[in-house]
Amino acid sequence: MKLVFLIKALDNIGGTERVTIQIANELSLRKHDVHIVSLVGNEKPFFPVLPAVQLHYIHKGSDNSIFPYRDLRRHYRLKKCFAQIMPDVIVVVDASRATFKIPACRPYTTIYWEHFNTLMKSKRMHELSRKLAVKYGDCVVTLTEEDAQSYRQKYNTTKVQCIHNPITIEVPAYVAPTAHQIVAVGRYTAQKGFDWLLQAWNLVQDKGDWKLLIVGKGKHTKRLQDYIQQHQLSDSVQLLPPTNNIQQLFASCSIYALSSRFEGLPLVLIEAAACGLPAVAFACQTGPSEIIEHQKSGLLVPTGDVAALANALQTLMSNDALRLQYSQQASLYVKEKFAVNTIIDQWETLFKKLKQH
């Protein structure tokens, strides 16, 4: 089957880009003809793309041209690109930002892939985009069952299906984590809540020799650095740049911390669990509650409750036996639920179903 994934910027370093490339790679290994069309980019994806996956860039580099000229040009170039490829199915990555892409994707069979969630308050354009995706798309794929149900109720549609993101890394053989390090990974933005995480860390009374690693980059870098300095946390907190060897990073840690205000399905939480890291996380909408079994593979606390996050971190830091128990269960649970082959099977089944109709 000839498949196209349409994404805004393939060269970004987020979970959306990583999982798009992973799904495309896996489908190409199953002998599908896979293309990724990126609206902008420099043709140097951060994550490895298999040679069989063909890349197309609508605009080389960044595109700072003004609306509506920018979108009209993109529409024209997309139509031309699709006419050359003649896809069986187009998967539009991110249903909340699909508005101008919708006309370009017609009359092809089109799936709109939701990467956030509809339970959080959204901008008007994002709401409009989702309504149009439901109306004109053949299916909306959500990352969580919670969000699939929200789509059904909010947009009065049956054209929605949950397909979880898979584990996107090569999972090493299980090794019990022993290092006294906590890790959090993501963009330094408000969504990821690293300001809350630092506040929680500041509340942890008995840190001992434990360290907190916050891995990423973004516009809030200076804000985080300033907080660390003001509260004299530089001995126990490190801000580290992004890495494409996440397995090595997780192997050097024993707890994963997720402090997000909201998520779609936090891929890094799945990967951390697969590597044996129990998690302490805000039970934000959506995703953590579908990845973490509370008091079995990690601890969930109310979103924004900084004191509860601090207490949960202290609980796992101070109890080696509990940490080991959660570690083993986390690894077993996600390896079964989010196995790559299971997820790719679901995508293939959906493609076949839509083409038969």
Side-chain angles (χ1 to χ4, degrees):
M1 196 174 287
K2 193 172 287 188
L3 307 170
V4 166
F5 289 83
L6 173 58
I7 193 167
K8 180 183 178 182
L10 184 64
D11 307 335
N12 285 346
I13 60 173
T16 299
E17 292 74 31
R18 180 143 49 111
V19 76
T20 298
I21 290 171
Q22 172 76 355
I23 296 290
N25 283 344
E26 293 293 336
L27 287 166
S28 74
L29 291 174
R30 295 195 182 190
K31 306 305 179 185
H32 294 282
D33 183 1
V34 183
H35 301 249
I36 302 178
V37 177
S38 183
L39 293 179
V40 296
N42 58 17
E43 300 186 88
K44 293 181 180 178
F46 184 78
F47 304 104
V49 181
L50 294 181
V53 177
Q54 299 181 57
L55 306 183
H56 310 260
Y57 287 83
I58 298 302
H59 187 95
K60 302 291 178 64
S62 58
D63 184 0
N64 298 317
S65 52
I66 61 172
F67 175 85
Y69 171 72
R70 180 197 63 193
D71 288 356
L72 288 171
R73 182 174 62 181
R74 287 178 177 178
H75 169 80
Y76 171 77
R77 292 182 177 180
L78 280 174
K79 291 293 280 188
K80 186 176 179 181
C81 182
F82 294 155
Q84 292 172 342
I85 298 172
M86 291 301 291
D88 293 303
V89 180
I90 297 173
V91 180
V92 178
V93 180
D94 193 356
S96 69
R97 293 177 173 84
T99 312
F100 85 90
K101 303 168 192 171
I102 290 170
C105 293
R106 303 187 73 191
Y108 305 101
T109 299
T110 307
I111 296 169
Y112 291 91
W113 191 6
E114 176 65 67
H115 274 263
F116 292 95
N117 73 71
T118 60
L119 297 165
M120 300 299 297
K121 183 175 175 59
S122 300
K123 295 179 181 178
R124 288 183 179 179
M125 283 302 295
H126 295 174
E127 286 297 309
L128 174 61
S129 178
R130 289 176 172 128
K131 288 177 182 177
L132 293 173
V134 167
K135 182 176 181 179
Y136 294 108
D138 295 278
C139 185
V140 173
V141 168
T142 64
L143 300 182
T144 64
E145 293 290 354
E146 187 179 7
D147 200 34
Q149 187 59 30
S150 173
Y151 254 96
R152 294 182 189 105
Q153 294 174 350
K154 196 170 185 178
Y155 301 109
N156 190 28
T157 182
T158 58
K159 298 187 297 182
V160 60
Q161 177 177 335
C162 168
I163 301 180
H164 293 305
N165 282 341
I167 300 168
T168 59
I169 59 175
E170 187 174 336
V171 181
Y174 177 77
V175 176
T178 57
H180 282 190
Q181 294 196 133
I182 299 164
V183 64
V185 178
R187 301 181 310 280
Y188 295 168
T189 61
Q191 179 205 340
K192 298 301 181 182
F194 294 139
D195 54 335
W196 282 347
L197 179 57
L198 286 176
Q199 290 170 34
W201 187 246
N202 193 42
L203 292 177
V204 173
Q205 295 298 312
D206 184 14
K207 295 182 179 65
D209 62 345
W210 282 83
K211 308 288 185 186
L212 172 63
L213 313 181
I214 304 179
V215 181
K217 66 177 184 178
K219 59 184 179 182
H220 285 188
T221 301
K222 188 176 187 306
R223 188 178 303 180
L224 300 180
Q225 289 172 336
D226 289 346
Y227 187 93
I228 291 167
Q229 290 176 355
Q230 289 166 9
H231 293 83
Q232 299 179 330
L233 296 173
S234 55
D235 288 343
S236 62
V237 179
Q238 284 184 274
L239 300 182
L240 300 175
T243 175
N244 56 9
N245 191 346
I246 204 83
Q247 300 98 314
Q248 185 176 7
L249 172 67
F250 289 155
S252 69
C253 301
S254 291
I255 300 172
Y256 189 85
L258 186 130
S259 53
S260 297
R261 288 169 165 84
F262 63 93
E263 283 287 349
L265 182 76
L267 184 62
V268 71
L269 193 56
I270 298 171
E271 294 170 343
C275 292
L277 297 192
V280 170
F282 284 140
C284 65
Q285 294 174 326
T286 55
S289 63
E290 294 187 29
I291 300 169
I292 298 169
E293 297 176 289
H294 181 55
Q295 295 182 334
K296 289 185 179 179
S297 66
L299 297 172
L300 292 165
V301 301
T303 305
D305 191 336
V306 170
L309 188 67
N311 288 337
L313 287 169
Q314 187 80 78
T315 296
L316 283 191
M317 289 162 61
S318 62
N319 192 326
D320 294 347
L322 186 66
R323 204 165 62 245
L324 177 60
Q325 177 187 328
Y326 285 4
S327 165
Q328 293 169 336
Q329 179 60 22
S331 178
L332 289 171
Y333 182 65
V334 300
K335 284 177 184 177
E336 180 179 342
K337 186 172 182 178
F338 302 99
V340 171
N341 285 334
T342 300
I343 303 304
I344 299 301
D345 286 346
Q346 293 172 12
W347 275 106
E348 284 192 314
T349 299
L350 178 59
F351 295 148
K352 291 173 184 174
K353 174 185 171 183
L354 293 179
K355 288 311 293 179
Q356 286 170 357
H357 289 176

